[in-house]
PDB file of all heavy atoms in Angstrom:
ATOM      1  N   GLN C 190      55.097  20.979  85.340  1.00 98.00           N
ATOM      2  CA  GLN C 190      54.231  20.681  84.208  1.00 98.00           C
ATOM      3  C   GLN C 190      53.254  19.567  84.605  1.00 98.00           C
ATOM      4  O   GLN C 190      53.602  18.676  85.386  1.00 98.00           O
ATOM      5  CB  GLN C 190      55.092  20.245  83.029  1.00 98.00           C
ATOM      6  CG  GLN C 190      54.365  20.091  81.713  1.00 98.00           C
ATOM      7  CD  GLN C 190      55.285  19.557  80.627  1.00 98.00           C
ATOM      8  OE1 GLN C 190      56.348  19.012  80.920  1.00 98.00           O
ATOM      9  NE2 GLN C 190      54.873  19.690  79.376  1.00 98.00           N
ATOM     10  N   HIS C 191      52.036  19.623  84.045  1.00 97.00           N
ATOM     11  CA  HIS C 191      51.013  18.662  84.464  1.00 97.00           C
ATOM     12  C   HIS C 191      50.041  18.379  83.328  1.00 97.00           C
ATOM     13  O   HIS C 191      50.008  19.096  82.313  1.00 97.00           O
ATOM     14  CB  HIS C 191      50.250  19.208  85.679  1.00 97.00           C
ATOM     15  CG  HIS C 191      49.602  20.542  85.433  1.00 97.00           C
ATOM     16  ND1 HIS C 191      48.385  20.698  84.821  1.00 97.00           N
ATOM     17  CD2 HIS C 191      50.033  21.799  85.718  1.00 97.00           C
ATOM     18  CE1 HIS C 191      48.070  21.973  84.740  1.00 97.00           C
ATOM     19  NE2 HIS C 191      49.066  22.675  85.275  1.00 97.00           N
ATOM     20  N   LYS C 192      49.259  17.356  83.491  1.00 96.00           N
ATOM     21  CA  LYS C 192      48.205  17.033  82.535  1.00 96.00           C
ATOM     22  C   LYS C 192      47.165  18.151  82.506  1.00 96.00           C
ATOM     23  O   LYS C 192      46.959  18.860  83.497  1.00 96.00           O
ATOM     24  CB  LYS C 192      47.518  15.719  82.912  1.00 96.00           C
ATOM     25  CG  LYS C 192      48.436  14.521  83.071  1.00 96.00           C
ATOM     26  CD  LYS C 192      48.959  14.021  81.745  1.00 96.00           C
ATOM     27  CE  LYS C 192      49.707  12.686  81.939  1.00 96.00           C
ATOM     28  NZ  LYS C 192      50.362  12.233  80.702  1.00 96.00           N
ATOM     29  N   ALA C 193      46.485  18.282  81.382  1.00 96.00           N
ATOM     30  CA  ALA C 193      45.444  19.300  81.251  1.00 96.00           C
ATOM     31  C   ALA C 193      44.293  19.012  82.216  1.00 96.00           C
ATOM     32  O   ALA C 193      44.012  17.857  82.559  1.00 96.00           O
ATOM     33  CB  ALA C 193      44.936  19.346  79.817  1.00 96.00           C
ATOM     34  N   GLY C 194      43.653  20.090  82.676  1.00 95.00           N
ATOM     35  CA  GLY C 194      42.462  19.951  83.509  1.00 95.00           C
ATOM     36  C   GLY C 194      42.705  20.080  84.993  1.00 95.00           C
ATOM     37  O   GLY C 194      41.752  20.015  85.773  1.00 95.00           O
ATOM     38  N   LEU C 195      43.954  20.279  85.406  1.00 96.00           N
ATOM     39  CA  LEU C 195      44.280  20.407  86.825  1.00 96.00           C
ATOM     40  C   LEU C 195      44.542  21.863  87.174  1.00 96.00           C
ATOM     41  O   LEU C 195      45.128  22.615  86.392  1.00 96.00           O
ATOM     42  CB  LEU C 195      45.505  19.568  87.176  1.00 96.00           C
ATOM     43  CG  LEU C 195      45.358  18.051  86.995  1.00 96.00           C
ATOM     44  CD1 LEU C 195      46.704  17.373  87.177  1.00 96.00           C
ATOM     45  CD2 LEU C 195      44.347  17.482  87.961  1.00 96.00           C
ATOM     46  N   THR C 196      44.121  22.287  88.357  1.00 95.00           N
ATOM     47  CA  THR C 196      44.339  23.644  88.834  1.00 95.00           C
ATOM     48  C   THR C 196      45.590  23.697  89.704  1.00 95.00           C
ATOM     49  O   THR C 196      46.079  22.655  90.171  1.00 95.00           O
ATOM     50  CB  THR C 196      43.142  24.128  89.663  1.00 95.00           C
ATOM     51  OG1 THR C 196      43.102  23.364  90.888  1.00 95.00           O
ATOM     52  CG2 THR C 196      41.829  23.945  88.899  1.00 95.00           C
ATOM     53  N   PRO C 197      46.105  24.905  89.973  1.00 94.00           N
ATOM     54  CA  PRO C 197      47.224  25.011  90.914  1.00 94.00           C
ATOM     55  C   PRO C 197      46.906  24.403  92.278  1.00 94.00           C
ATOM     56  O   PRO C 197      47.799  23.818  92.915  1.00 94.00           O
ATOM     57  CB  PRO C 197      47.461  26.518  91.001  1.00 94.00           C
ATOM     58  CG  PRO C 197      47.036  27.040  89.671  1.00 94.00           C
ATOM     59  CD  PRO C 197      45.836  26.203  89.297  1.00 94.00           C
ATOM     60  N   ASP C 198      45.669  24.511  92.738  1.00 96.00           N
ATOM     61  CA  ASP C 198      45.295  23.894  94.014  1.00 96.00           C
ATOM     62  C   ASP C 198      45.398  22.372  93.934  1.00 96.00           C
ATOM     63  O   ASP C 198      45.811  21.713  94.901  1.00 96.00           O
ATOM     64  CB  ASP C 198      43.879  24.312  94.414  1.00 96.00           C
ATOM     65  CG  ASP C 198      43.808  25.755  94.886  1.00 96.00           C
ATOM     66  OD1 ASP C 198      44.866  26.323  95.232  1.00 96.00           O
ATOM     67  OD2 ASP C 198      42.693  26.312  94.907  1.00 96.00           O
ATOM     68  N   ASP C 199      44.999  21.816  92.785  1.00 97.00           N
ATOM     69  CA  ASP C 199      45.121  20.363  92.600  1.00 97.00           C
ATOM     70  C   ASP C 199      46.591  19.944  92.686  1.00 97.00           C
ATOM     71  O   ASP C 199      46.933  18.946  93.345  1.00 97.00           O
ATOM     72  CB  ASP C 199      44.553  19.939  91.243  1.00 97.00           C
ATOM     73  CG  ASP C 199      43.065  20.166  91.119  1.00 97.00           C
ATOM     74  OD1 ASP C 199      42.361  20.096  92.145  1.00 97.00           O
ATOM     75  OD2 ASP C 199      42.605  20.413  89.990  1.00 97.00           O
ATOM     76  N   ILE C 200      47.453  20.684  92.000  1.00 97.00           N
ATOM     77  CA  ILE C 200      48.883  20.356  91.992  1.00 97.00           C
ATOM     78  C   ILE C 200      49.470  20.511  93.390  1.00 97.00           C
ATOM     79  O   ILE C 200      50.274  19.677  93.837  1.00 97.00           O
ATOM     80  CB  ILE C 200      49.630  21.238  90.983  1.00 97.00           C
ATOM     81  CG1 ILE C 200      49.089  21.001  89.570  1.00 97.00           C
ATOM     82  CG2 ILE C 200      51.121  20.957  91.035  1.00 97.00           C
ATOM     83  CD1 ILE C 200      49.206  19.572  89.084  1.00 97.00           C
ATOM     84  N   HIS C 201      49.052  21.567  94.101  1.00 97.00           N
ATOM     85  CA  HIS C 201      49.534  21.766  95.471  1.00 97.00           C
ATOM     86  C   HIS C 201      49.202  20.556  96.332  1.00 97.00           C
ATOM     87  O   HIS C 201      50.049  20.067  97.101  1.00 97.00           O
ATOM     88  CB  HIS C 201      48.911  23.037  96.052  1.00 97.00           C
ATOM     89  CG  HIS C 201      49.517  23.464  97.354  1.00 97.00           C
ATOM     90  ND1 HIS C 201      49.375  24.733  97.859  1.00 97.00           N
ATOM     91  CD2 HIS C 201      50.284  22.801  98.265  1.00 97.00           C
ATOM     92  CE1 HIS C 201      50.022  24.828  99.012  1.00 97.00           C
ATOM     93  NE2 HIS C 201      50.570  23.659  99.280  1.00 97.00           N
ATOM     94  N   ALA C 202      47.988  20.068  96.231  1.00 98.00           N
ATOM     95  CA  ALA C 202      47.579  18.907  97.033  1.00 98.00           C
ATOM     96  C   ALA C 202      48.404  17.670  96.679  1.00 98.00           C
ATOM     97  O   ALA C 202      48.705  16.841  97.556  1.00 98.00           O
ATOM     98  CB  ALA C 202      46.090  18.632  96.824  1.00 98.00           C
ATOM     99  N   ILE C 203      48.787  17.543  95.405  1.00 98.00           N
ATOM    100  CA  ILE C 203      49.570  16.379  94.975  1.00 98.00           C
ATOM    101  C   ILE C 203      50.997  16.458  95.513  1.00 98.00           C
ATOM    102  O   ILE C 203      51.535  15.475  96.038  1.00 98.00           O
ATOM    103  CB  ILE C 203      49.584  16.294  93.432  1.00 98.00           C
ATOM    104  CG1 ILE C 203      48.199  15.899  92.906  1.00 98.00           C
ATOM    105  CG2 ILE C 203      50.645  15.303  92.950  1.00 98.00           C
ATOM    106  CD1 ILE C 203      48.053  16.039  91.410  1.00 98.00           C
ATOM    107  N   VAL C 204      51.624  17.625  95.394  1.00 98.00           N
ATOM    108  CA  VAL C 204      53.067  17.711  95.670  1.00 98.00           C
ATOM    109  C   VAL C 204      53.381  17.962  97.138  1.00 98.00           C
ATOM    110  O   VAL C 204      54.489  17.625  97.593  1.00 98.00           O
ATOM    111  CB  VAL C 204      53.725  18.809  94.807  1.00 98.00           C
ATOM    112  CG1 VAL C 204      53.475  18.550  93.325  1.00 98.00           C
ATOM    113  CG2 VAL C 204      53.254  20.207  95.192  1.00 98.00           C
ATOM    114  N   ARG C 205      52.468  18.542  97.886  1.00 98.00           N
ATOM    115  CA  ARG C 205      52.779  18.938  99.256  1.00 98.00           C
ATOM    116  C   ARG C 205      53.306  17.783 100.117  1.00 98.00           C
ATOM    117  O   ARG C 205      54.324  17.952 100.824  1.00 98.00           O
ATOM    118  CB  ARG C 205      51.545  19.583  99.903  1.00 98.00           C
ATOM    119  CG  ARG C 205      51.824  20.164 101.299  1.00 98.00           C
ATOM    120  CD  ARG C 205      50.552  20.734 101.927  1.00 98.00           C
ATOM    121  NE  ARG C 205      50.813  21.298 103.237  1.00 98.00           N
ATOM    122  CZ  ARG C 205      51.023  22.591 103.478  1.00 98.00           C
ATOM    123  NH1 ARG C 205      50.996  23.461 102.467  1.00 98.00           N
ATOM    124  NH2 ARG C 205      51.256  23.022 104.706  1.00 98.00           N
ATOM    125  N   PRO C 206      52.694  16.602 100.106  1.00 98.00           N
ATOM    126  CA  PRO C 206      53.216  15.522 100.960  1.00 98.00           C
ATOM    127  C   PRO C 206      54.655  15.130 100.621  1.00 98.00           C
ATOM    128  O   PRO C 206      55.441  14.801 101.519  1.00 98.00           O
ATOM    129  CB  PRO C 206      52.253  14.361 100.699  1.00 98.00           C
ATOM    130  CG  PRO C 206      51.008  14.991 100.174  1.00 98.00           C
ATOM    131  CD  PRO C 206      51.464  16.189  99.402  1.00 98.00           C
ATOM    132  N   TYR C 207      55.003  15.175  99.337  1.00 98.00           N
ATOM    133  CA  TYR C 207      56.368  14.816  98.929  1.00 98.00           C
ATOM    134  C   TYR C 207      57.365  15.852  99.436  1.00 98.00           C
ATOM    135  O   TYR C 207      58.462  15.501  99.897  1.00 98.00           O
ATOM    136  CB  TYR C 207      56.449  14.709  97.407  1.00 98.00           C
ATOM    137  CG  TYR C 207      55.621  13.582  96.834  1.00 98.00           C
ATOM    138  CD1 TYR C 207      54.327  13.816  96.374  1.00 98.00           C
ATOM    139  CD2 TYR C 207      56.127  12.298  96.744  1.00 98.00           C
ATOM    140  CE1 TYR C 207      53.562  12.792  95.835  1.00 98.00           C
ATOM    141  CE2 TYR C 207      55.370  11.256  96.212  1.00 98.00           C
ATOM    142  CZ  TYR C 207      54.088  11.516  95.765  1.00 98.00           C
ATOM    143  OH  TYR C 207      53.326  10.501  95.255  1.00 98.00           O
ATOM    144  N   ILE C 208      56.992  17.111  99.365  1.00 98.00           N
ATOM    145  CA  ILE C 208      57.881  18.175  99.828  1.00 98.00           C
ATOM    146  C   ILE C 208      58.072  18.099 101.331  1.00 98.00           C
ATOM    147  O   ILE C 208      59.189  18.261 101.844  1.00 98.00           O
ATOM    148  CB  ILE C 208      57.329  19.544  99.394  1.00 98.00           C
ATOM    149  CG1 ILE C 208      57.345  19.657  97.864  1.00 98.00           C
ATOM    150  CG2 ILE C 208      58.134  20.682 100.023  1.00 98.00           C
ATOM    151  CD1 ILE C 208      56.663  20.896  97.318  1.00 98.00           C
ATOM    152  N   LEU C 209      56.999  17.834 102.055  1.00 98.00           N
ATOM    153  CA  LEU C 209      57.109  17.723 103.513  1.00 98.00           C
ATOM    154  C   LEU C 209      58.011  16.566 103.914  1.00 98.00           C
ATOM    155  O   LEU C 209      58.710  16.640 104.932  1.00 98.00           O
ATOM    156  CB  LEU C 209      55.713  17.547 104.125  1.00 98.00           C
ATOM    157  CG  LEU C 209      54.794  18.776 104.047  1.00 98.00           C
ATOM    158  CD1 LEU C 209      53.398  18.435 104.569  1.00 98.00           C
ATOM    159  CD2 LEU C 209      55.377  19.949 104.826  1.00 98.00           C
TER     160      LEU C 209
END
Side-chain angles (χ1 to χ4, degrees):
Q190 189 184 17
H191 57 83
K192 305 287 189 186
L195 297 171
T196 68
D198 287 342
D199 295 330
I200 299 301
H201 190 162
I203 290 169
V204 303
R205 186 183 181 97
Y207 295 95
I208 295 173
L209 291 175

